[in-house]
Amino acid sequence: MKNVLITGGNGGIGNAIAMAFYNEGYRVFITYNKNTQNIKNKNICAIKCDVTDEKAVSDMVLELDKFGGVDVLINNAGVAQIKMLCDTTQADFDKLFDVNMRGVYNVTKAIMKNMVHKKYGKIINISSMWGVTGASCEVLYSASKSAVIGFTKALAKELGPSGINVNCIAPGVIDTPMNKDLDSDTIKELCEQTPIGRIGEPQDIANAALFLASDKASFITGQILCVDGGITV
Ligand code: NDP
């Protein structure tokens, strides 16, 4: 049985990914930071871990090593913010980069040691379409998600010889709590701008993650898979 770790597995997208992998027969571990209300499946092991905290991450990895380590890592935990750049603060910068980039760095660095040892692993980072195209009023968020793309491409080169695939999913607008503040007019506009004609569901991202984790994607590495209904085309 393969082990998968999904950071932020209690969130909208993370929860769908966790359920999809569980249904495929994986042993599923998720992390959460504050909220536990979305964790409903008792067969999924939930570990409290702030991904910005290096010590908390290394404690979590010690726990996971007892189960043979992680075969598939999905760096999904993230925070967003909508603000004009001129209104942002140092604290905003720190928060967005700490969770969205340092979190990916902390967890990946700690987990990959065991993958390198086994010469097998799949690392899937959840970036954003805004990391690809940039979004007005989300400059810091876009920059932090672009950083994840650079991290993915570089690490794919470093870890390819160790049998580890590193890829990225760049979701479009997905119906999760992260977008709870978008009003219905904005959602309608986004649907109109999207060739497929709708916003995404968490399951759309889970399906892409399952594919990238599968042996069907064994020759794919360093890639950014845009799962966005064609909005960035
Ligand atoms: P949610 O807000 O539903 O989930 C975010 C998750 O991140 C939660 O599980 C949260 O845990 C976790 N998290 C936040 N801060 C930390 C931290 N310091 N340490 C550990 N976990 C943390 O958002 P989504 O499911 O929508 O987003 C998931 C990912 O997808 C994010 O990386 C996001 O940027 C990306 N994305 C989302 C899009 C969308 O339209 N929804 C579009 C493009 C990308 P807790 O609740 O316990 O705080």
Side-chain angles (χ1 to χ4, degrees), residues 20-35:
F21 276 77
Y22 176 73
N23 290 332
E24 281 290 307
Y26 283 78
R27 187 190 281 135
V28 180
F29 299 86
I30 64 167
T31 71
Y32 64 96
N33 187 32
K34 291 184 193 134
N35 302 309

Side-chain angles (χ1 to χ4, degrees), residues 7-15 31-36 38 49-52 75-80 95 99-100 126-130 141 145 169-179:
T7 66
N10 57 326
I13 291 174
N15 193 255
T31 71
Y32 64 96
N33 187 32
K34 291 184 193 134
N35 302 309
T36 51
N38 217 1
C49 175
D50 178 347
V51 294
T52 68
N75 283 308
N76 163 77
V79 287
K95 171 89 182 167
V99 179
N100 295 351
I126 307 296
S127 174
S128 163
M129 69 171 173
W130 301 137
Y141 177 73
K145 290 297 189 176
I169 295 173
V173 181
I174 309 296
D175 187 12
T176 74
M178 193 174 261
N179 290 319

Side-chain angles (χ1 to χ4, degrees), residues 5-231:
L5 172 68
I6 302 137
T7 66
N10 57 326
I13 291 174
N15 193 255
I17 296 175
M19 288 311 300
F21 276 77
Y22 176 73
N23 290 332
E24 281 290 307
Y26 283 78
R27 187 190 281 135
V28 180
F29 299 86
I30 64 167
T31 71
Y32 64 96
N33 187 32
K34 291 184 193 134
N35 302 309
T36 51
Q37 69 266 29
N38 217 1
I39 305 166
K40 297 193 180 88
N41 187 327
K42 294 208 165 31
N43 296 306
I44 288 175
C45 178
I47 304 169
K48 181 169 168 54
C49 175
D50 178 347
V51 294
T52 68
D53 178 346
E54 195 182 12
K55 168 82 171 63
V57 170
S58 79
D59 288 349
M60 170 188 67
V61 172
L62 284 177
E63 272 307 300
L64 292 169
D65 282 345
K66 292 180 193 161
F67 295 88
V70 169
D71 302 287
V72 179
L73 165 63
I74 303 184
N75 283 308
N76 163 77
V79 287
Q81 181 189 61
I82 297 181
K83 247 187 196 183
M84 299 280 283
L85 186 70
C86 54
D87 296 330
T88 59
T89 63
Q90 291 289 324
D92 292 331
F93 184 97
D94 289 346
K95 171 89 182 167
L96 286 158
F97 277 83
D98 263 4
V99 179
N100 295 351
M101 184 58 246
R102 190 192 300 278
V104 173
Y105 163 71
N106 282 345
V107 179
T108 304
K109 190 173 166 220
I111 292 283
M112 67 182 228
K113 283 182 195 143
N114 192 289
M115 288 180 170
V116 170
H117 181 68
K118 286 195 289 195
K119 285 211 161 280
Y120 180 88
K122 311 277 183 187
I123 298 172
I124 301 165
N125 299 321
I126 307 296
S127 174
S128 163
M129 69 171 173
W130 301 137
V132 177
T133 64
S136 169
C137 301
E138 294 192 64
V139 174
L140 293 181
Y141 177 73
S142 301
S144 69
K145 290 297 189 176
S146 295
V148 171
I149 289 173
F151 180 90
T152 300
K153 290 185 176 184
L155 191 64
K157 290 183 176 163
E158 206 165 290
L159 293 185
S162 298
I164 300 166
N165 301 62
V166 189
N167 287 295
C168 198
I169 295 173
V173 181
I174 309 296
D175 187 12
T176 74
M178 193 174 261
N179 290 319
K180 65 181 182 327
D181 295 333
L182 296 183
D183 58 44
S184 56
D185 283 349
T186 310
I187 299 277
K188 195 166 162 260
E189 226 170 87
L190 283 162
C191 291
E192 282 164 8
Q193 286 165 16
T194 307
I196 294 291
R198 64 171 175 89
I199 64 165
E201 295 297 328
Q203 189 63 41
D204 293 313
I205 307 307
N207 292 340
L210 271 181
F211 167 66
L212 288 174
S214 76
D215 289 338
K216 289 178 182 150
S218 62
F219 199 50
I220 300 175
T221 199
Q223 299 304 311
I224 316 308
L225 180 55
C226 295
V227 182
D228 61 9
I231 201 166

